[in-house]
Every structure is written in C-alpha cells, then in structure tokens.
Amino acid sequence: MKRAPARERLSRDVLAASALALADREGLEAVTIRRLAQDHAVTPMALYWHFKDKDELLDGIAERLFAGVVLPDITDRPWDTDLHAVLEAFLSAMRPHPATVGLVVTRVLQSDAGLVVAERVLGLLRAAGFSTEQTAEIAGYLLSSVVTLISAEPGPEPALDSAARDAAIRGKKATLHALSPERFPNVVASADALAYCANEDSYFNRGVDLLVQGVRGIRST
Amino acid sequence: MKRAPARERLSRDVLAASALALADREGLEAVTIRRLAQDHAVTPMALYWHFKDKDELLDGIAERLFAGVVLPDITDRPWDTDLHAVLEAFLSAMRPHPATVGLVVTRVLQSDAGLVVAERVLGLLRAAGFSTEQTAEIAGYLLSSVVTLISAEPGPEPALDSAARDAAIRGKKATLHALSPERFPNVVASADALAYCANEDSYFNRGVDLLVQGVRGIRST
DNA sequence: ACCTGAACACCGTTCAAGT
DNA sequence: ACCTGAACACCGTTCAAGT
C-alpha cells in the first residue's frame, strides 16, 4: 500500500498518474475520489479544483495511456505492414494497463494523443483505398479490437497475488473439465487454453494478425 | 418511468429480466439493488434472498442475453460460411442491448447458454483445422469482438431521447471539423463518419466480415 | 421459504467558507 | 489560486428478526 509522497504539489497530471498507478495495483474499482485524496493527504473536495468530476479524472487516465504510444515511423513498405506495426505499438502501450484499458475506447477522439494515433490509422486505411466512411468505421473498430484483445485474454484478471491467481486458474480448469463431454466436447477439449493463456505473446500476435488480415480481406471484396 | 407490476412474485428470472429492461431503458448505471427493489415494491434486502450479491444479478442479465441467441443450423457449406452465420446470430441477439453487452465478455463460460454458443464456435474452428489452443483463443476473441463491434459503434450511446442524441452528434461533428487540418487531415476528412454511424447494418456486416476473413487469413499462415 | 428494519461503511458531489 | 468542513443523496451489504 505504497502511497504518493505526502505533500507533492497537486495537479491534473500528478493526480491522473497516481490514479493510473492505483488502478494498475488494485484495479479500477479502487480508483475513487476519496481514496485518491487520502493517498495525497488531502480532502476529497480538493480534487474538484483539478477535475470537474470523476469522469474528467478518468479522461486524464486515458490521456496518459494514449501518450504512452510510440508510433513507428512511416515506411515505404506496403500499407498492411505499417498497419500491423501501428497496432502493435498501440497494443504494447496498453498491455501494461489491463485494468484501465476499457477507458480508451470511448475517448480516442477526445484526447490529443489519442487523435494522433487515430490519424495514423485513418491515413493507412485511406492509403489502402478505403472510402472516408469505411476508413472511419474500420479505424475505430481496429483500435477497440486491440483493447478487446487485452480484456478478453483468457485467465483471471491481474491485481491478484500469484497464489490466488493460480488457485483461480485451477478452479476454472476443473469446472470446464467437469462439463458434459457429450454436450460440450470442444469446450472440454480446449478447457486448459480457455482457462489460461499459456503464451501471451503468441496470443497477441495472432490477434493483431487476425485484424490486419481481416482488413486485407474486406478490401478485396 | 414504467415499473414492473407492483407485486409480481419475485424470483431470479423475474428480477434479472426487469434488471435487463431497466438497463435497456436507462443504462447499466441505473441498475442498482435499491432501484430494482423499489420498482418491485420491496426492500433492498429482499433481493439478497435471490442473489448472493450484485455480481450474481449481473450474471443473471448476461445469462438472459446468451439465452436470446438463436443458433443457425449446421450446414454442409464451408466452415467460414457457418462461422459467419453464428457470429451474425450472436450479434443479432446482442444488438438490442448495447448497455449490457459488456457483461457477456467475462461470462461466456459461466452460463449454460453461453457455453452452447462457445461450443459451436469452437467446433467450427476445429473443423477449420485449428489446434485446441488456437481454437480456444480465437473463439473467445471472436465473441468478444462482436461485442466490441456494438460498443465501439460511432455515435453517442442510446438511452438518450433523440433530441439530445442529435445535439450530441452535431457537437461531436463540430469538434472534429474544428481540428487542425494540417495535423489531422484524415480525422477531419472522416469527421462525419467518426461522429455518427449513418448505416448501422453495413457497419455491422463489414465488422463480422472482417473477423471471418481474419480467421481465414491466419489459417493459411 | 421469503421478506423486513436498522445499521455500517462506503460512494460522488454541492455549497459556502477559509487562506 | 487552491483547499477545507459540513452536509446531501446515494450506494452495496450484514445481521438479527419477523412470518
């Protein structure tokens, strides 16, 4: 239960940063106006000077997530290679923050750093030949899907100590294996992989691949 | 503010159903133990007889969503045609309930109806030649992505009266058009489509297509 | 088996006031 | 400009008790 230095000067940035750190440690439910105030040895109402309401605090967290994206350079390779690289860059920035990743979906176009990412994806899709409408729909969907990749990863959510995690995984496996093999043969066959993702990197690679290949696929339709 | 008949007999099913209806009308934040109790003219604590805690109530909502999926018959057409049909069926069941759709992602394997859907998707992927591990990862991801398609649809969330919706859309468009065309040329070019989805059906079709094509793509890698 | 009453430990937020 | 104090209207949940 490490807390921020007792009397660091407050500001949007400092507060958003420590809110993000708190979410990473204890989950998004732990991020509370009152808790955050307490961690900074200040009254809850003090935060309302820096944020209009809690939603603005969450905006601040999302902004930091977007700011963590380091976009790869644009190359002269085919558009889908570049698209893959951008999505991977986005994924890498989000992966360390599974608890808060859901915040970004609705906020891409509301933060400057988010707009930069969106602009890049839109540009690549335009280069691939999609219309402005298609481009808009696909770009938003791609970014959201990368987020989904993270939040849908099999296995219990982090922010648990590893002992509790292991127990949860074993329980999950047991439940799935106990299902009727007549009704759910494939669930039973895939039980272990459904309960826990053994190789995260290959899971994420496959996911990004699926998306990029999907875009290629609908382009030639 | 229509409420359930004053003294219908309480039960898990009745409560979950009216919780879902409430969420559809006023959003998931409106679904509260106390509010639900009030709508049924009963004490909040009465609900704890039927549900261990609020999470179980949400499980009940998710269960109803899965139960609404009408799976298409298995055909002798190629696996990807069938996969497309299953995803569409899933999508159709979820679309009427955008506010609650986020509940299903973590609950597919916890409800009987959810398992039936998962089993079907797993089966089709196995038929396509994927390993049990790949099948597990992809199946979960596909279902989550369909959910994402709904929650990432451009435009303000429903549960607003149409006047407020229109105003929100106009505001969004204005903000995007006001951006620097040097920094964000493609965002500005796609502004209208980013603010509002003009054709929902084609948006959803393209999304499901992208996923199925994506699966085809990574199969031949 | 099914529901109530009272209480507890939390939330976000407003408003007036202090320095 | 930045923060406090007191108060309000909410939450989920426990526990003992009623029928």
Side-chain angles (χ1 to χ4, degrees):
Chain A
M1 188 94 76
K2 172 181 43 173
R3 54 192 56 198
R7 228 37 209 286
E8 187 178 10
R9 186 149 171 61
L10 289 193
S11 72
R12 275 186 84 95
D13 274 11
V14 171
L15 287 168
S18 90
L20 175 55
L22 177 57
D24 287 341
R25 275 180 279 124
E26 305 184 26
L28 191 55
E29 335 78 66
V31 176
T32 234
I33 298 274
R34 298 178 111 105
R35 167 70 186 274
L36 205 54
Q38 184 186 312
D39 287 2
H40 287 271
V42 102
T43 290
M45 292 64 80
L47 300 211
Y48 285 88
W49 180 259
H50 304 278
F51 299 97
K52 184 178 136 282
D53 55 18
K54 187 174 177 182
D55 207 56
E56 265 195 9
L57 171 62
L58 300 180
D59 291 347
I61 297 180
E63 176 97 47
R64 299 201 120 249
L65 292 183
F66 289 122
V69 179
V70 284
L71 287 179
D73 294 330
I74 299 177
T75 72
D76 48 4
R77 291 175 298 174
W79 66 270
D80 55 338
T81 314
D82 275 1
L83 180 60
H84 194 104
V86 180
L87 295 184
E88 289 237 288
F90 185 64
L91 176 67
S92 301
M94 299 300 143
R95 271 182 70 176
H97 309 287
T100 46
V101 96
L103 296 174
V104 309
V105 179
T106 55
R107 291 172 168 90
V108 201
L109 303 175
Q110 302 193 42
S111 96
D112 196 79
L115 281 166
V116 172
V117 177
E119 171 66 25
R120 176 66 72 83
V121 176
L122 289 165
L124 290 170
L125 291 173
R126 289 291 285 159
F130 289 104
S131 74
T132 50
E133 288 80 13
Q134 290 172 329
T135 291
E137 293 175 1
I138 299 170
Y141 183 54
L142 286 179
L143 293 178
S144 304
S145 291
V146 170
V147 167
T148 301
L149 211 43
I150 295 170
S151 44
E153 187 197 336
E157 45 232 294
L160 296 170
D161 53 282
S162 57
R165 267 184 62 87
D166 284 7
I169 292 167
R170 261 196 309 278
K172 188 100 194 160
K173 283 185 184 174
T175 322
L176 294 176
H177 274 119
L179 290 170
S180 154
E182 279 82 34
R183 292 187 66 208
F184 305 113
N186 292 293
V187 174
V188 174
S190 292
D192 286 358
L194 287 169
Y196 169 67
C197 181
N199 188 336
E200 292 197 297
D201 286 337
S202 85
Y203 165 76
F204 285 119
N205 277 331
R206 198 178 357 261
V208 174
D209 253 30
L210 188 153
L211 291 173
V212 176
Q213 301 261 21
V215 178
R216 285 179 37 172
I218 62 173
R219 192 178 77 126
S220 52
T221 308
Chain B
M1 187 96 76
K2 172 179 43 172
R3 55 191 56 199
R7 227 41 212 282
E8 187 178 10
R9 187 151 170 64
L10 253 41
S11 71
R12 274 187 85 96
D13 274 10
V14 171
L15 288 168
S18 91
L20 174 55
L22 176 58
D24 287 340
R25 276 180 279 125
E26 305 184 28
L28 192 54
E29 335 78 64
V31 176
T32 232
I33 298 274
R34 297 178 112 105
R35 168 69 186 275
L36 206 55
Q38 183 185 315
D39 286 2
H40 286 271
V42 103
T43 291
M45 292 64 78
L47 300 211
Y48 284 88
W49 180 258
H50 304 278
F51 299 97
K52 184 177 134 282
D53 55 20
K54 188 175 178 182
D55 207 56
E56 264 195 9
L57 171 61
L58 300 180
D59 290 347
I61 296 181
E63 175 96 47
R64 298 200 121 253
L65 292 183
F66 289 122
V69 180
V70 283
L71 286 179
D73 293 329
I74 299 176
T75 71
D76 48 3
R77 293 175 298 174
W79 66 271
D80 54 339
T81 313
D82 275 0
L83 180 61
H84 193 105
V86 179
L87 295 183
E88 289 236 288
F90 185 64
L91 177 67
S92 302
M94 299 299 143
R95 272 182 70 177
H97 309 287
T100 45
V101 96
L103 295 174
V104 310
V105 179
T106 54
R107 291 173 168 89
V108 201
L109 303 176
Q110 302 193 41
S111 95
D112 196 80
L115 281 165
V116 172
V117 178
E119 171 66 26
R120 176 67 71 84
V121 177
L122 290 166
L124 290 170
L125 292 172
R126 288 291 285 161
F130 289 104
S131 73
T132 50
E133 287 80 13
Q134 290 173 328
T135 291
E137 293 175 0
I138 299 171
Y141 183 55
L142 287 179
L143 294 178
S144 304
S145 291
V146 170
V147 166
T148 301
L149 210 44
I150 296 171
S151 45
E153 187 197 336
E157 43 231 295
L160 296 171
D161 54 281
S162 57
R165 267 183 63 89
D166 285 6
I169 293 167
R170 263 197 309 278
K172 189 100 195 162
K173 283 184 185 175
T175 322
L176 294 176
H177 274 118
L179 290 170
S180 154
E182 280 81 35
R183 292 187 67 209
F184 306 113
N186 292 295
V187 175
V188 174
S190 292
D192 285 359
L194 286 169
Y196 168 66
C197 181
N199 189 334
E200 292 196 298
D201 285 338
S202 85
Y203 165 76
F204 285 118
N205 276 330
R206 192 168 13 253
V208 174
D209 253 29
L210 188 153
L211 291 172
V212 176
Q213 301 261 20
V215 177
R216 284 180 36 172
I218 62 174
R219 192 179 76 127
S220 52
T221 307

